[in-house]
Amino acid sequence: MEKELIDLQTRVAFQEDAIQQLNLTMVHQQNIIDVLQRGFLELRQQIQALTPPDAPETTDEAPPHY
């Protein structure tokens, strides 16, 4: 019985460590996502600033002389 209790305690300790590592990984990944989102929004704003508001939509069609 004592061996089984020690085995369970060992398993719980490993599970707690694994959960802590997963939590740290999630926090790190969320920080990366936040940085990427801010960069994307900044690029989007820069592109919008370069495009005149009344610019015609561009298409992939060839010009008429082709």
Side-chain angles (χ1 to χ4, degrees):
M1 182 73 159
E2 186 176 327
K3 182 180 180 281
E4 293 169 348
L5 182 60
I6 292 172
D7 184 45
L8 287 174
Q9 288 173 336
T10 303
R11 287 182 184 191
V12 168
F14 280 116
Q15 287 177 351
E16 287 175 347
D17 183 56
I19 290 169
Q20 180 65 24
Q21 292 300 319
L22 287 171
N23 187 45
L24 290 173
T25 300
M26 283 181 48
V27 168
H28 179 69
Q29 288 178 343
Q30 186 60 51
N31 289 337
I32 291 171
I33 290 170
D34 291 342
V35 168
L36 291 172
Q37 282 180 329
R38 284 193 299 272
F40 173 76
L41 291 175
E42 187 177 314
L43 286 172
R44 187 174 170 189
Q45 290 171 348
Q46 289 175 2
I47 290 171
Q48 287 176 346
L50 293 174
T51 306
D54 57 347
E57 292 287 324
T58 59
T59 61
D60 292 335
E61 294 179 19
H65 63 279
Y66 276 100

